Amino acid sequence: ANYTGPLRPQVHYSPPTGFMNDPNGMFYLNGVFHLYYQYNPTGLGAGNQHWGHATSKDGYTWGNQPIALFPPEEKQYVFSGSVVVDANNTSGFFPNQTNGVVAVFTLARYNEDGSGGPQTQAIAYSHDEGYTFQYYDRNPVINSTSSQFRDPKVIRYEDHWAMVVAYSQEFVVGIFTSTDLKQWTWASNFTNHGLLGAQYECPNIVKMPVRDRDSGAVVDEKYVITLSAQPGAPLGGSITQYFIGDFNGTHFSTLDAATRLTDFAKDNYAAQFFYGVEGNPISIGWASNWQYAQQVPTGNNEGWRSAMTLPRASYLTKAAPRIGWTMVDEIYDTAPILGESLATKTMGNGSVTVDYADVASNALYIEANVTGIDVAKATAFSTLNLTFTSPASGESLRSGFYFGGDNPFFVDRGQLRGFDNVFFTDKFSVADVYYDSSADKTASWRVQAVIDRSMYEVFLDGGRHAGTVLLYPTQPLTMVNVAARDLPAGARVSVAVWSLKSTWA
Ligand code: FRU
């Protein structure tokens, strides 16, 4: 496969060719991360869905594997789902092994006229740790006549398996239980929460440590349901939200009535948590938006569409509860992708400019830590801006944080002209992203950012607010400017800019 195109991410996973959407079946076993994904190997838009497969030892450096699940019949596609490791052979598929792997997913049937037929839940098992699968000969394991019933995610809860699955257009997350992964019993529904959009998709449920915001110590644990919905997101298209609460193996109850978004930007959908990761759960999302995923210029220019987000480790904060998303540094660290230090500077108000035209990957990691901010004295002009430009074309990607005022962070991709499709441009050039930062106006503030050719990911305040942003410049962006302006006296800003190594080289 060719990963050299100027829009091709170098530290994010993208498929060799063809169209990718949701991450599927992610699990971690014996030192290997397995990522499956919704894959159309024969087109540049959704359709003909298979499960593609890639593996990684560090979460950043991926190797492509043969397609893992093919459509079992004509007009029947393999939709999203999950994987568990059946270490105790509850299924009976693995009499002589403790590393048996079972995939649980949706089979979506299509009628001759192209309309959707029934969606049912099915399983397949693997004796070789997820490289090859056999379909169970008595599928489906959950039958239905509905054309909108999909995306099972299974976890282990004490003595049984628990599944969340979407009755998409009824805005219901069904919870089922099983002891053998073959026979499933309906247990409860979690209904009509949060942003509905036109449909719910890809529910997840995961146990997460709750940490003290200052010390980082684990003080509790809670369950989180993440739920994707589309169309109808605040900025248009698709979005993922989450709910914090308790789970007793059959029922989920929410902590409060809040709807929290995983990202403040537009391009993180259908995120899934890895099965088999202890401690802070790790997830990866599909870094795109159904509003334009099938039109982005990587298709015509380079023969592929869609990349995944970086892996993110996650925890909950006790005060002002939210998920904090962090670049993964517990199981492994960012060392496999970190290249050279290009600049470090500590300043008050001022700026740092780096020309990175010579960085072969065209990808950077940037960190800025701001301390000693007198929040009461910050004004609407007190900003920390990160701006990327292409001197060759004059295009730019602007982003920044306002320390005063209510709408703290913006990303403006309206100054990029990498496309000639009017529909796409119109949806893509949305400038501002907003979130409520009232709980985060403190004396110190931090941004971590990765720019990777056609992707920009930012983590603010320990990842309590995060955003994944696609961008398509006609010429590579090669200059970055980090500027602090009108910060109140006493503020200190330390900036570090690193090159990233290509994981595909
Ligand atoms: C979400 C989704 C899922 C479905 C899959 C099909 O993006 O629509 O609900 O299983 O994509 O590719």
Side-chain angles (χ1 to χ4, degrees):
N2 179 352
Y3 282 82
T4 60
L7 299 172
R8 192 62 110 152
Q10 299 298 296
V11 299
H12 292 80
Y13 180 72
S14 58
T17 57
F19 183 81
M20 176 175 82
N21 53 294
D22 317 350
N24 292 152
M26 301 194 309
F27 74 102
Y28 180 71
L29 181 65
N30 294 332
V32 179
F33 290 92
H34 290 262
L35 165 67
Y36 304 84
Y37 54 88
Q38 284 292 285
Y39 189 34
N40 179 356
T42 55
L44 289 165
N48 189 25
Q49 298 303 96
H50 295 56
W51 271 29
H53 184 202
T55 51
S56 175
K57 290 195 167 143
D58 59 28
Y60 296 98
T61 314
W62 294 96
N64 286 309
Q65 301 292 345
I67 289 174
L69 291 175
F70 287 80
E73 288 174 30
E74 285 264 305
K75 301 259 170 227
Q76 194 177 44
Y77 298 123
V78 193
F79 271 22
S80 286
S82 53
V83 155
V84 296
V85 179
D86 187 14
N88 294 318
N89 189 30
T90 64
S91 62
F93 293 135
F94 313 106
N96 301 313
Q97 59 185 124
T98 54
N99 60 348
V101 165
V102 177
V104 187
F105 48 87
T106 301
L107 288 178
R109 194 170 283 287
Y110 279 80
N111 302 318
E112 281 305 322
D113 66 3
S115 62
Q119 299 188 339
T120 60
Q121 314 320 317
I123 60 177
Y125 53 96
S126 170
H127 289 121
D128 60 0
E129 297 196 356
Y131 292 92
T132 58
F133 284 90
Q134 271 170 276
Y135 284 101
Y136 176 46
D137 58 9
R138 284 180 226 159
N139 278 332
V141 293
I142 305 181
N143 210 348
S144 100
T145 53
S146 168
S147 62
Q148 303 293 337
F149 175 46
R150 58 182 177 271
D151 309 339
K153 168 68 181 175
V154 177
I155 61 168
R156 186 76 191 164
Y157 186 91
E158 295 178 3
D159 61 347
H160 66 269
W161 303 103
M163 173 198 291
V164 287
V165 58
Y167 295 90
S168 295
Q169 297 185 357
E170 293 160 65
F171 309 111
V172 170
V173 176
I175 299 177
F176 287 73
T177 60
S178 174
T179 54
D180 63 3
L181 297 164
K182 293 170 176 166
Q183 281 195 298
W184 290 91
T185 308
W186 174 83
S188 69
N189 284 340
F190 177 73
T191 68
N192 276 79
H193 285 270
L195 291 163
L196 305 182
Q199 56 203 332
Y200 278 175
E201 298 183 313
C202 299
N204 268 228
I205 185 164
V206 67
K207 185 166 74 176
M208 229 178 246
V210 179
R211 295 178 181 274
D212 181 87
R213 243 180 110 179
D214 296 321
S215 71
V218 176
V219 291
D220 197 1
E221 61 182 32
K222 289 274 174 200
Y223 276 80
V224 166
I225 282 186
T226 62
L227 185 55
S228 294
Q230 61 109 2
L235 293 172
S238 45
I239 198 79
T240 306
Q241 59 200 321
Y242 64 94
F243 308 97
I244 305 168
D246 293 307
F247 181 60
N248 64 4
T250 56
H251 291 73
F252 181 81
S253 55
T254 53
L255 175 78
D256 56 31
T259 298
R260 297 168 172 93
L261 299 182
T262 59
D263 270 45
F264 55 73
K266 291 184 78 164
D267 301 318
N268 183 352
Y269 195 63
Q272 187 175 107
F273 290 89
F274 281 93
Y275 185 93
V277 167
E278 302 295 326
N280 291 350
I282 298 177
S283 66
I284 287 180
W286 176 47
S288 195
N289 187 311
W290 278 120
Q291 201 179 38
Y292 41 68
Q294 304 180 88
Q295 278 109 19
V296 296
T298 59
N300 295 338
N301 293 4
E302 301 181 5
W304 60 277
R305 279 202 174 110
S306 304
M308 293 301 179
T309 68
L310 293 174
R312 296 178 177 185
S314 49
Y315 62 96
L316 288 161
T317 48
K318 176 89 181 162
R322 281 192 70 81
I323 294 178
W325 305 99
T326 60
M327 289 181 66
V328 173
D329 59 10
E330 285 204 343
I331 291 185
Y332 47 85
D333 56 33
T334 50
I337 59 169
L338 268 191
E340 289 164 42
S341 168
L342 302 180
T344 54
K345 184 171 179 180
T346 301
M347 60 195 187
N349 288 303
S351 78
V352 179
T353 301
V354 176
D355 177 343
Y356 61 101
D358 290 340
V359 171
S361 66
N362 190 227
L364 300 180
Y365 171 72
I366 300 165
E367 199 177 304
N369 290 289
V370 187
T371 53
I373 313 163
D374 187 342
V375 180
K377 291 200 180 126
T379 73
F381 300 102
S382 305
T383 55
L384 192 281
N385 286 335
L386 289 82
T387 308
F388 303 85
T389 52
S390 165
S393 67
E395 290 162 286
S396 64
L397 173 73
R398 298 168 53 246
S399 65
F401 189 80
Y402 296 97
F403 290 88
D406 296 330
N407 297 321
F409 197 77
F410 73 94
V411 179
D412 178 2
R413 50 187 181 180
Q415 311 300 314
L416 297 156
R417 3 167 258 268
F419 23 79
D420 47 18
N421 178 321
V422 174
F423 166 81
F424 175 58
T425 306
D426 168 47
K427 301 293 183 292
F428 201 73
S429 61
V430 172
D432 293 294
V433 294
Y434 303 116
Y435 64 87
D436 177 6
S437 67
S438 46
D440 298 315
K441 290 245 156 59
T442 56
S444 62
W445 185 82
R446 180 178 198 213
V447 57
Q448 294 169 282
V450 169
I451 188 149
D452 187 8
R453 299 191 179 194
S454 56
M455 301 180 74
Y456 183 47
E457 279 191 75
V458 288
F459 301 87
L460 313 177
D461 275 322
R464 283 169 52 80
H465 299 281
T468 303
V469 177
L470 297 177
L471 58 132
Y472 299 107
T474 57
Q475 297 286 325
L477 304 179
T478 58
M479 297 277 283
V480 60
N481 177 265
V482 182
R485 293 208 182 85
D486 292 305
L487 298 186
R492 301 298 291 165
V493 184
S494 60
V495 178
V497 180
W498 291 75
S499 67
L500 294 176
K501 291 185 263 191
S502 171
T503 61
W504 293 107

